[in-house]
Amino acid sequence: MRIAALDDDVGQLDLTKITLKAMNHHCHTFTEGAALLNELRRESFDLLVLDWELPDVSGPEVVRWVRSNVKEYVPILFVTNRREERDIVEGLAAGADDFMSKPVRVGELKARVQALLRRSYGKPQTEDEIWGRYRFTPAMSKLEIDGKVMPLTRKEFDLALFLFRNMGRLISRGHMLESMWKTNNPAGTELMSRSLDTHVSRVRTVLGLRPENGYRLSAIYGQGYRFEAVGNQRPDANNMSCEL
């Protein structure tokens, strides 16, 4: 998962990043609220971990901005020195999903992050994942459409599954490059950026991701891609989402 952490305490920020990295998540760190908000205007994340007291804005102000300006819902965890009941109430009322007090206990941080991600995106699938005509078998990197195995490379399979698991979300180019190519530069190199577009085009063609087939895969200028069901087509209720 791709997570953004905001804290003006560099030591705390390092601890958070190390903890999340040990959980196999990508963590982007910020020491000022304005920097995170600016990043959220063009980048997507799966979870935000926020401090309350910051040098430029307060944590609740950041939460309220996110809830008003970020269309796709992203879970938010407060990690703060605040511990009074009124603070917890204010943080949750602003739109945060969970609240924990410092000093941070690594085990608790891991548990709260896992719980938020599980609640928001579901459990990782170990068996076949099905969306209508599309059956994914992750263990074999195999995709079948109406029972026919599709000729996909491993990278194309991973990208197709990533898109289905994130159906309905606007995913930034940086998010996709980080998840699929392990780089967090939105432009990457020119070659990497072209490779992303080529893979998306190939997946769209092979899987027939067109409105007449119930799906639309759109490039959003200056941001990334959105994959969505259209018409009467809807994702299978048992496979709503979980990102690689």
Side-chain angles (χ1 to χ4, degrees):
M1 293 289 189
R2 194 182 203 219
I3 300 174
L6 170 64
D7 199 313
D8 62 338
D9 182 336
V10 177
Q12 176 60 56
L13 207 53
D14 287 343
L15 175 61
T16 299
K17 184 172 184 177
I18 290 170
T19 301
L20 295 175
K21 185 176 180 180
M23 298 171 68
N24 295 318
H25 298 305
H26 299 284
C27 182
H28 296 248
T29 58
F30 302 85
T31 56
E32 294 185 351
L36 173 59
L37 298 185
N38 186 54
E39 191 76 355
L40 286 168
R41 289 184 172 92
R42 58 178 183 271
E43 288 295 323
S44 55
F45 296 93
D46 299 303
L47 173 70
L48 304 181
V49 179
L50 307 180
D51 188 18
W52 187 297
E53 297 174 357
L54 300 160
D56 51 351
V57 296
S58 72
E61 287 178 304
V62 173
V63 174
R64 284 190 285 270
W65 186 95
V66 170
R67 294 300 180 229
S68 297
N69 294 278
V70 178
K71 182 177 180 181
E72 282 72 27
Y73 192 87
V74 54
I76 298 175
L77 168 65
F78 264 126
V79 179
T80 171
N81 286 316
R82 301 285 185 112
R83 61 185 70 245
E84 299 295 328
E85 181 181 6
R86 64 176 179 273
D87 298 321
I88 298 174
V89 171
E90 181 181 352
L92 296 178
D97 297 277
D98 200 0
F99 189 106
M100 65 178 289
S101 298
K102 297 178 180 178
V104 169
R105 295 170 293 277
V106 170
E108 181 185 358
L109 176 59
K110 288 182 176 180
R112 290 185 182 275
V113 166
Q114 288 173 337
L116 276 176
L117 293 176
R118 182 173 60 249
R119 186 176 8 176
S120 301
Y121 304 106
K123 294 181 180 180
Q125 298 290 326
T126 57
E127 300 179 351
D128 286 4
E129 302 181 41
I130 304 170
W131 287 268
R133 303 162 54 219
Y134 301 83
R135 177 186 290 270
F136 291 84
T137 305
M140 301 173 62
S141 296
K142 182 177 71 174
L143 168 62
E144 298 173 68
I145 302 179
D146 295 330
K148 180 181 178 181
V149 177
M150 294 293 101
L152 296 174
T153 66
R154 175 60 184 271
K155 187 70 72 178
E156 290 165 351
F157 173 87
D158 289 346
L159 176 59
L161 183 56
F162 177 89
L163 291 169
F164 272 88
R165 285 175 168 176
N166 287 281
M167 191 181 301
R169 297 179 65 195
L170 171 58
I171 303 295
S172 67
R173 296 180 70 84
H175 195 157
M176 295 178 74
L177 285 169
E178 185 170 288
S179 297
M180 306 304 303
W181 279 269
K182 309 307 178 186
T183 175
N184 60 14
N185 185 339
T189 62
E190 177 123 6
L191 178 62
M192 189 70 71
S193 188
R194 287 202 305 269
S195 180
L196 170 61
D197 295 332
T198 298
H199 278 76
V200 168
S201 179
R202 163 80 173 161
V203 166
R204 180 192 285 116
T205 299
V206 175
L207 275 63
L209 302 179
R210 299 183 296 273
E212 58 266 30
N213 292 329
Y215 297 98
R216 178 185 294 115
L217 177 54
S218 307
I220 309 301
Y221 181 76
Q223 293 181 289
Y225 286 92
R226 186 194 301 277
F227 177 56
E228 56 194 338
V230 298
N232 294 323
Q233 185 68 42
R234 291 294 182 268
D236 187 283
N238 295 321
N239 295 279
M240 287 302 291
S241 51
C242 176
E243 183 192 350
L244 287 173

